[in-house]
Coordinates of all heavy atoms in Angstrom, one line a residue:
M1 N 0.8 -1.2 0.0 CA 0.0 0.0 0.0 C 0.9 1.2 0.0 O 1.8 1.3 0.8 CB -0.9 0.0 1.2 CG -1.9 1.1 1.3 SD -3.3 0.8 2.4 CE -2.5 1.0 4.0
P2 N 0.6 2.2 -0.9 CA 1.5 3.4 -1.0 C 1.3 4.3 0.3 O 0.2 4.2 1.0 CB 1.0 4.2 -2.2 CG -0.4 3.6 -2.5 CD -0.4 2.2 -1.9
P3 N 2.3 5.1 0.6 CA 2.2 5.9 1.8 C 1.1 7.0 1.6 O 0.8 7.4 0.5 CB 3.6 6.6 1.9 CG 4.2 6.4 0.6 CD 3.6 5.2 0.0
T4 N 0.5 7.4 2.7 CA -0.6 8.4 2.7 C 0.0 9.7 2.5 O 1.0 10.1 3.2 CB -1.4 8.3 4.0 OG1 -1.9 7.0 4.1 CG2 -2.5 9.4 4.0
S5 N -0.5 10.5 1.5 CA 0.0 11.9 1.3 C -0.5 12.8 2.5 O -1.7 12.7 2.9 CB -0.6 12.4 0.0 OG -0.4 13.7 -0.2
T6 N 0.3 13.6 3.0 CA 0.0 14.5 4.1 C 0.3 15.9 3.7 O 1.1 16.2 2.8 CB 0.7 14.1 5.4 OG1 2.1 14.2 5.2 CG2 0.3 12.7 5.8
I7 N -0.2 16.9 4.4 CA 0.2 18.3 4.3 C 0.8 18.7 5.6 O 0.6 18.1 6.7 CB -1.0 19.2 4.0 CG1 -2.0 19.3 5.1 CG2 -1.7 18.8 2.7 CD1 -2.9 20.5 5.0
R8 N 1.6 19.7 5.6 CA 2.2 20.3 6.8 C 1.3 21.4 7.2 O 1.4 22.5 6.8 CB 3.6 20.8 6.5 CG 4.5 21.0 7.7 CD 5.9 21.3 7.3 NE 6.1 22.5 6.6 CZ 6.4 23.7 7.1 NH1 6.6 23.8 8.4 NH2 6.6 24.7 6.3
Q9 N 0.3 21.0 8.0 CA -0.8 21.9 8.4 C -0.4 23.0 9.4 O 0.5 22.8 10.1 CB -2.0 21.1 8.9 CG -1.9 20.7 10.4 CD -1.2 19.3 10.6 OE1 -0.5 18.8 9.7 NE2 -1.3 18.8 11.8
N10 N -1.1 24.1 9.3 CA -1.0 25.2 10.2 C -2.2 25.0 11.2 O -3.4 25.3 10.9 CB -1.1 26.5 9.5 CG -1.1 27.7 10.5 OD1 -1.5 27.6 11.6 ND2 -0.6 28.8 10.0
G11 N -1.9 24.3 12.3 CA -3.0 24.0 13.3 C -3.7 25.2 13.8 O -4.9 25.2 14.0
Y12 N -2.9 26.3 14.0 CA -3.5 27.5 14.5 C -4.6 28.0 13.5 O -5.7 28.4 13.9 CB -2.5 28.6 14.7 CG -3.1 30.0 15.0 CD1 -3.6 30.3 16.3 CD2 -3.2 30.9 14.0 CE1 -4.1 31.5 16.5 CE2 -3.8 32.1 14.2 CZ -4.3 32.4 15.5 OH -4.9 33.7 15.8
A13 N -4.3 28.0 12.2 CA -5.2 28.5 11.2 C -6.4 27.6 11.1 O -7.6 28.1 11.0 CB -4.5 28.6 9.9
L14 N -6.2 26.3 11.2 CA -7.3 25.3 11.1 C -8.3 25.6 12.3 O -9.5 25.7 12.1 CB -6.8 23.9 11.2 CG -7.8 22.8 11.2 CD1 -8.7 22.8 10.0 CD2 -7.1 21.4 11.3
R15 N -7.7 25.8 13.5 CA -8.6 26.0 14.7 C -9.3 27.4 14.5 O -10.5 27.5 14.8 CB -7.7 26.0 15.9 CG -8.5 26.2 17.2 CD -7.6 26.0 18.5 NE -6.3 26.7 18.4 CZ -5.1 26.1 18.2 NH1 -5.1 24.8 18.1 NH2 -4.0 26.8 18.2
A16 N -8.6 28.4 14.0 CA -9.2 29.7 13.9 C -10.3 29.7 12.9 O -11.4 30.3 13.2 CB -8.1 30.7 13.5
F17 N -10.1 29.0 11.8 CA -11.2 29.0 10.8 C -12.4 28.2 11.4 O -13.6 28.6 11.1 CB -10.8 28.3 9.5 CG -9.9 29.2 8.6 CD1 -8.6 28.9 8.3 CD2 -10.5 30.3 8.0 CE1 -7.9 29.7 7.5 CE2 -9.7 31.2 7.2 CZ -8.4 30.9 6.9
R18 N -12.2 27.2 12.1 CA -13.2 26.4 12.8 C -14.0 27.3 13.7 O -15.3 27.3 13.7 CB -12.7 25.2 13.5 CG -13.8 24.4 14.3 CD -13.2 23.2 15.1 NE -12.1 23.5 16.0 CZ -12.3 24.1 17.2 NH1 -13.5 24.4 17.6 NH2 -11.3 24.3 18.0
K19 N -13.3 28.1 14.5 CA -14.0 29.0 15.5 C -14.7 30.1 14.8 O -15.8 30.5 15.2 CB -13.0 29.5 16.5 CG -12.5 28.5 17.4 CD -11.6 29.0 18.5 CE -11.2 28.0 19.5 NZ -10.4 28.5 20.6
I20 N -14.1 30.7 13.7 CA -14.8 31.7 12.9 C -16.1 31.2 12.4 O -17.1 31.9 12.4 CB -13.9 32.2 11.8 CG1 -12.7 33.0 12.3 CG2 -14.7 33.0 10.7 CD1 -11.6 33.3 11.4
R21 N -16.2 29.9 12.0 CA -17.4 29.4 11.5 C -18.4 28.9 12.6 O -19.5 28.5 12.3 CB -17.1 28.1 10.6 CG -16.2 28.4 9.4 CD -16.9 29.3 8.4 NE -16.1 29.5 7.2 CZ -15.5 30.6 6.8 NH1 -15.6 31.7 7.6 NH2 -14.8 30.6 5.7
G22 N -17.9 29.1 13.8 CA -18.8 28.8 14.9 C -19.0 27.3 15.2 O -20.0 26.9 15.7
L23 N -18.0 26.5 14.8 CA -18.1 25.1 14.9 C -17.2 24.6 16.1 O -16.1 25.0 16.3 CB -17.6 24.4 13.7 CG -18.4 24.7 12.4 CD1 -17.7 24.1 11.2 CD2 -19.8 24.1 12.5
S24 N -17.7 23.6 16.8 CA -16.9 22.9 17.8 C -16.1 21.9 17.1 O -16.3 21.6 15.9 CB -17.8 22.2 18.9 OG -18.5 21.1 18.3
V25 N -15.1 21.3 17.9 CA -14.3 20.2 17.3 C -15.2 19.1 16.8 O -15.1 18.5 15.7 CB -13.3 19.7 18.3 CG1 -12.6 18.4 17.9 CG2 -12.3 20.8 18.6
V26 N -16.2 18.7 17.7 CA -17.1 17.6 17.4 C -18.0 17.9 16.1 O -18.1 17.1 15.2 CB -18.0 17.3 18.6 CG1 -19.1 16.3 18.2 CG2 -17.2 16.7 19.7
D27 N -18.5 19.2 16.0 CA -19.3 19.6 14.9 C -18.5 19.4 13.6 O -19.0 18.8 12.6 CB -19.8 21.0 15.0 CG -20.8 21.2 16.1 OD1 -21.5 20.3 16.5 OD2 -20.9 22.4 16.6
L28 N -17.3 20.0 13.5 CA -16.5 20.0 12.3 C -16.1 18.5 12.0 O -16.2 18.1 10.8 CB -15.2 20.9 12.4 CG -14.3 20.8 11.2 CD1 -15.0 21.2 9.9 CD2 -13.1 21.8 11.5
A29 N -15.7 17.8 13.0 CA -15.3 16.4 12.8 C -16.5 15.6 12.2 O -16.3 14.9 11.2 CB -14.9 15.8 14.1
E30 N -17.7 15.8 12.7 CA -18.8 15.0 12.2 C -19.1 15.4 10.7 O -19.3 14.6 9.9 CB -20.1 15.3 13.0 CG -20.0 14.6 14.4 CD -21.2 14.9 15.3 OE1 -22.0 15.8 14.9 OE2 -21.3 14.2 16.3
R31 N -19.1 16.7 10.4 CA -19.4 17.2 9.1 C -18.3 16.8 8.1 O -18.6 16.5 6.9 CB -19.5 18.7 9.1 CG -20.7 19.2 9.8 CD -20.8 20.7 9.8 NE -21.9 21.2 10.7 CZ -22.3 22.4 10.7 NH1 -21.8 23.3 9.9 NH2 -23.3 22.8 11.5
A32 N -17.1 16.7 8.5 CA -16.0 16.3 7.6 C -15.7 14.8 7.6 O -14.8 14.3 6.9 CB -14.7 17.0 8.0
K33 N -16.5 14.1 8.5 CA -16.3 12.6 8.6 C -14.9 12.2 9.0 O -14.3 11.3 8.4 CB -16.8 11.9 7.3 CG -18.2 12.1 6.9 CD -18.6 11.4 5.7 CE -20.1 11.5 5.3 NZ -20.8 12.7 5.6
V34 N -14.4 12.9 10.0 CA -13.2 12.5 10.7 C -13.5 12.4 12.2 O -14.5 12.8 12.6 CB -12.1 13.6 10.4 CG1 -11.8 13.7 8.9 CG2 -12.4 14.9 11.0
S35 N -12.5 11.8 12.9 CA -12.8 11.7 14.3 C -12.4 13.0 15.1 O -11.5 13.7 14.6 CB -12.0 10.5 14.9 OG -10.6 10.8 15.0
A36 N -13.1 13.3 16.1 CA -12.8 14.5 16.9 C -11.4 14.4 17.5 O -10.7 15.4 17.5 CB -13.9 14.7 18.0
P37 N -11.0 13.3 18.1 CA -9.6 13.3 18.6 C -8.5 13.5 17.5 O -7.5 14.2 17.7 CB -9.4 11.9 19.2 CG -10.8 11.4 19.5 CD -11.7 12.1 18.4
A38 N -8.8 13.0 16.3 CA -7.8 13.3 15.2 C -7.8 14.7 14.9 O -6.7 15.3 14.7 CB -8.2 12.4 14.0
L39 N -9.0 15.4 14.8 CA -9.0 16.8 14.5 C -8.3 17.6 15.5 O -7.5 18.5 15.2 CB -10.5 17.2 14.4 CG -10.7 18.7 14.2 CD1 -10.0 19.3 13.0 CD2 -12.2 19.0 14.1
R40 N -8.5 17.2 16.8 CA -7.8 17.9 17.9 C -6.3 17.8 17.7 O -5.5 18.8 17.9 CB -8.2 17.3 19.2 CG -7.8 18.2 20.4 CD -8.6 19.4 20.1 NE -8.6 20.4 21.1 CZ -8.4 21.7 20.9 NH1 -8.2 22.1 19.6 NH2 -8.5 22.6 21.8
N41 N -5.8 16.6 17.4 CA -4.3 16.4 17.1 C -3.8 17.2 15.9 O -2.7 17.7 16.0 CB -4.0 14.9 16.9 CG -3.9 14.2 18.3 OD1 -3.2 14.7 19.2 ND2 -4.6 13.0 18.4
W42 N -4.6 17.4 14.9 CA -4.2 18.2 13.7 C -4.2 19.6 14.1 O -3.2 20.3 13.7 CB -5.2 17.9 12.6 CG -5.2 16.5 12.1 CD1 -4.1 15.6 12.1 CD2 -6.3 15.8 11.5 NE1 -4.5 14.4 11.5 CE2 -5.8 14.5 11.2 CE3 -7.6 16.1 11.3 CZ2 -6.7 13.6 10.7 CZ3 -8.4 15.2 10.7 CH2 -8.0 13.9 10.4
E43 N -5.1 20.1 14.9 CA -5.1 21.5 15.3 C -3.9 21.8 16.2 O -3.3 22.8 16.2 CB -6.4 21.8 16.1 CG -7.6 22.0 15.2 CD -8.8 22.5 15.9 OE1 -8.8 22.5 17.2 OE2 -9.8 22.8 15.2
L44 N -3.5 20.8 17.0 CA -2.3 20.9 17.9 C -1.0 20.6 17.2 O 0.0 20.7 17.8 CB -2.5 20.1 19.2 CG -3.7 20.4 20.1 CD1 -3.9 19.4 21.2 CD2 -3.5 21.8 20.7
E45 N -1.1 20.2 16.0 CA 0.0 19.8 15.2 C 0.8 18.6 15.8 O 2.0 18.5 15.6 CB 0.9 21.0 14.9 CG 0.2 22.0 14.1 CD 1.1 23.2 13.7 OE1 2.3 23.2 13.9 OE2 0.5 24.2 13.2
N46 N 0.1 17.7 16.5 CA 0.7 16.5 17.1 C 0.8 15.4 16.0 O 1.6 14.5 16.2 CB -0.1 16.0 18.3 CG -0.1 16.9 19.4 OD1 0.9 17.7 19.6 ND2 -1.1 16.9 20.3
K47 N 0.0 15.4 15.0 CA -0.1 14.4 14.0 C -0.1 15.0 12.6 O -0.7 16.1 12.4 CB -1.3 13.5 14.2 CG -1.4 12.8 15.5 CD -1.2 11.4 15.4 CE -1.3 10.8 16.8 NZ -1.1 9.4 16.8
A48 N 0.4 14.3 11.6 CA 0.3 14.8 10.2 C -1.1 14.7 9.7 O -1.8 13.8 10.1 CB 1.3 13.9 9.4
L49 N -1.5 15.7 8.9 CA -2.9 15.7 8.4 C -2.9 15.1 7.0 O -2.3 15.7 6.1 CB -3.3 17.2 8.4 CG -4.7 17.5 7.7 CD1 -5.8 16.6 8.4 CD2 -5.0 19.0 7.9
P50 N -3.5 14.0 6.8 CA -3.7 13.4 5.5 C -4.4 14.3 4.5 O -5.3 15.0 4.9 CB -4.5 12.1 5.7 CG -4.3 11.8 7.2 CD -4.2 13.1 7.9
T51 N -3.8 14.4 3.3 CA -4.4 15.3 2.3 C -5.9 15.1 2.1 O -6.6 16.1 2.0 CB -3.6 15.2 1.0 OG1 -2.2 15.5 1.3 CG2 -4.1 16.2 0.0
V52 N -6.3 13.9 2.0 CA -7.7 13.6 1.7 C -8.6 14.1 2.8 O -9.7 14.6 2.6 CB -7.9 12.1 1.4 CG1 -7.7 11.2 2.7 CG2 -9.3 11.8 0.9
K53 N -8.1 14.0 4.1 CA -8.9 14.5 5.2 C -8.8 16.1 5.3 O -9.8 16.7 5.6 CB -8.5 13.9 6.5 CG -8.8 12.4 6.4 CD -8.5 11.6 7.7 CE -8.9 10.2 7.4 NZ -8.7 9.4 8.6
A54 N -7.7 16.6 4.9 CA -7.6 18.1 4.8 C -8.6 18.6 3.8 O -9.2 19.7 4.1 CB -6.2 18.5 4.5
E55 N -8.7 17.9 2.7 CA -9.7 18.4 1.7 C -11.1 18.4 2.2 O -11.9 19.2 1.9 CB -9.5 17.6 0.4 CG -8.2 17.8 -0.3 CD -7.8 16.9 -1.4 OE1 -8.5 15.8 -1.5 OE2 -6.9 17.2 -2.2
R56 N -11.4 17.4 3.0 CA -12.8 17.3 3.6 C -13.0 18.5 4.6 O -14.1 19.1 4.6 CB -13.0 16.0 4.3 CG -13.1 14.8 3.5 CD -13.5 13.6 4.4 NE -12.9 12.4 3.9 CZ -12.7 11.3 4.6 NH1 -13.1 11.3 5.9 NH2 -12.2 10.3 4.1
L57 N -12.0 18.8 5.4 CA -12.1 19.8 6.3 C -12.3 21.2 5.7 O -13.2 22.0 6.1 CB -10.9 19.9 7.3 CG -10.7 18.7 8.2 CD1 -9.3 18.6 8.8 CD2 -11.8 18.7 9.3
V58 N -11.4 21.5 4.7 CA -11.6 22.8 4.0 C -12.9 22.9 3.2 O -13.4 24.0 3.1 CB -10.3 23.1 3.1 CG1 -9.1 23.2 4.0 CG2 -10.2 22.2 2.0
A59 N -13.4 21.8 2.7 CA -14.7 21.9 2.0 C -15.8 22.3 3.0 O -16.6 23.1 2.7 CB -15.0 20.5 1.4
V60 N -15.8 21.7 4.2 CA -16.8 22.1 5.2 C -16.6 23.5 5.7 O -17.5 24.3 5.8 CB -16.7 21.1 6.4 CG1 -17.6 21.6 7.5 CG2 -17.1 19.7 6.0
L61 N -15.3 23.9 5.8 CA -15.0 25.3 6.3 C -15.2 26.4 5.2 O -15.3 27.6 5.5 CB -13.6 25.4 6.8 CG -13.3 24.6 8.1 CD1 -11.9 24.5 8.4 CD2 -14.1 25.2 9.3
G62 N -15.3 25.9 3.9 CA -15.4 26.9 2.8 C -14.2 27.7 2.6 O -14.3 28.9 2.2
I63 N -13.0 27.1 2.7 CA -11.8 27.8 2.5 C -10.9 27.0 1.5 O -11.2 25.8 1.2 CB -11.0 28.0 3.8 CG1 -10.7 26.6 4.5 CG2 -11.7 28.9 4.7 CD1 -9.8 26.7 5.7
D64 N -9.9 27.6 1.0 CA -8.9 26.9 0.1 C -7.9 26.1 0.9 O -7.5 26.6 2.0 CB -8.2 28.0 -0.7 CG -7.4 27.3 -1.8 OD1 -8.0 27.1 -2.9 OD2 -6.2 27.1 -1.6
L65 N -7.5 25.0 0.4 CA -6.5 24.2 1.1 C -5.2 25.0 1.5 O -4.6 24.8 2.6 CB -6.1 23.0 0.3 CG -5.2 22.0 0.9 CD1 -5.8 21.4 2.2 CD2 -4.8 20.9 -0.1
S66 N -4.8 25.9 0.7 CA -3.6 26.7 1.0 C -3.7 27.5 2.2 O -2.7 27.9 2.8 CB -3.3 27.6 -0.2 OG -4.3 28.6 -0.4
A67 N -5.0 27.8 2.7 CA -5.2 28.5 3.9 C -4.7 27.8 5.2 O -4.4 28.4 6.2 CB -6.6 28.9 4.1
I68 N -4.6 26.5 5.1 CA -4.1 25.7 6.3 C -2.8 24.9 6.0 O -2.4 24.1 6.8 CB -5.2 24.8 6.8 CG1 -5.6 23.7 5.8 CG2 -6.4 25.6 7.3 CD1 -6.4 22.5 6.4
D69 N -2.3 25.0 4.8 CA -1.1 24.3 4.3 C 0.1 25.2 4.4 O 0.2 26.2 3.7 CB -1.3 23.8 2.9 CG -0.2 22.9 2.5 OD1 0.9 22.9 3.0 OD2 -0.4 22.1 1.5
R70 N 1.0 24.9 5.3 CA 2.2 25.7 5.5 C 3.1 25.8 4.3 O 3.8 26.8 4.1 CB 3.0 25.2 6.7 CG 2.4 25.5 8.0 CD 3.4 25.2 9.2 NE 2.7 25.3 10.5 CZ 2.6 26.4 11.1 NH1 3.0 27.5 10.6 NH2 2.0 26.4 12.3
D71 N 3.1 24.8 3.5 CA 3.9 24.7 2.3 C 3.3 25.4 1.1 O 4.0 25.7 0.1 CB 4.3 23.3 1.9 CG 5.1 22.6 3.0 OD1 5.9 23.3 3.6 OD2 5.0 21.4 3.2
K72 N 2.0 25.7 1.1 CA 1.3 26.3 0.0 C 0.6 27.5 0.5 O -0.5 27.8 0.0 CB 0.4 25.3 -0.7 CG 1.1 24.2 -1.3 CD 0.1 23.2 -1.9 CE 0.8 22.0 -2.5 NZ -0.1 21.0 -3.0
A73 N 1.1 28.2 1.5 CA 0.4 29.3 2.1 C 0.0 30.4 1.0 O 0.8 30.8 0.2 CB 1.2 30.0 3.1
G74 N -1.3 30.6 0.9 CA -1.8 31.5 -0.1 C -2.0 32.9 0.5 O -1.5 33.2 1.6
S75 N -2.6 33.8 -0.2 CA -2.8 35.1 0.2 C -4.0 35.3 1.1 O -4.2 36.4 1.7 CB -3.0 36.0 -1.0 OG -4.1 35.6 -1.8
V76 N -4.8 34.3 1.3 CA -6.0 34.4 2.2 C -5.5 34.0 3.6 O -5.0 32.9 3.8 CB -7.1 33.4 1.8 CG1 -8.2 33.4 2.8 CG2 -7.6 33.7 0.4
G77 N -5.7 34.9 4.5 CA -5.3 34.7 5.9 C -6.5 34.5 6.8 O -7.7 34.7 6.3
V78 N -6.3 34.1 8.0 CA -7.4 33.9 9.0 C -8.2 35.2 9.1 O -9.5 35.1 9.1 CB -6.8 33.5 10.3 CG1 -7.9 33.4 11.4 CG2 -6.1 32.1 10.2
E79 N -7.6 36.3 9.1 CA -8.3 37.6 9.2 C -9.2 37.9 8.1 O -10.2 38.6 8.2 CB -7.3 38.8 9.5 CG -6.4 39.0 8.3 CD -5.2 38.1 8.3 OE1 -4.9 37.3 9.3 OE2 -4.4 38.1 7.3
D80 N -9.0 37.2 6.9 CA -9.9 37.4 5.7 C -11.1 36.6 5.7 O -12.0 36.7 4.9 CB -9.1 37.2 4.5 CG -7.9 38.1 4.3 OD1 -8.0 39.3 4.7 OD2 -6.9 37.7 3.8
A81 N -11.2 35.6 6.6 CA -12.2 34.6 6.6 C -13.5 35.1 7.3 O -14.6 34.5 7.1 CB -11.8 33.3 7.3
A82 N -13.5 36.1 8.1 CA -14.6 36.5 8.9 C -15.7 37.0 8.0 O -15.6 37.4 6.9 CB -14.2 37.6 9.8

């Protein structure tokens, strides 16, 4: 089985976008079909964020993947999401 592709996530940005959207960890996890403990670890940057799950999270949050990817940081910042 090939290795899982991951992104180098910005946990602070992920958490900030979640809070801006008014979602709890459990709410976002349920909507993105990921576990709440995994989401917490991604926000704390304790674990690598698989790309496929990152794509689910940003789809729910209504943001571009580059907003939470440290290696592809785009021009949209947390302050622009409000």
Side-chain angles (χ1 to χ4, degrees):
M1 185 163 71
T4 302
S5 170
T6 61
I7 68 165
R8 198 167 64 94
Q9 78 273 17
N10 179 331
Y12 170 80
L14 178 57
R15 182 174 48 255
F17 283 116
R18 174 180 58 77
K19 289 183 175 187
I20 287 168
R21 299 295 186 251
L23 298 171
S24 69
V25 170
V26 172
D27 291 336
L28 178 55
E30 287 176 353
R31 291 181 188 191
K33 296 181 176 39
V34 299
S35 76
L39 175 55
R40 196 62 174 138
N41 277 314
W42 298 327
E43 287 185 352
L44 295 171
E45 299 182 11
N46 291 334
K47 303 251 178 176
L49 176 53
T51 304
V52 68
K53 293 184 180 181
E55 290 169 346
R56 288 188 215 159
L57 292 167
V58 299
V60 171
L61 293 170
I63 59 173
D64 190 86
L65 184 60
S66 65
I68 64 165
D69 187 338
R70 289 188 186 275
D71 294 329
K72 295 180 183 171
S75 60
V76 176
V78 173
E79 61 278 353
D80 297 325

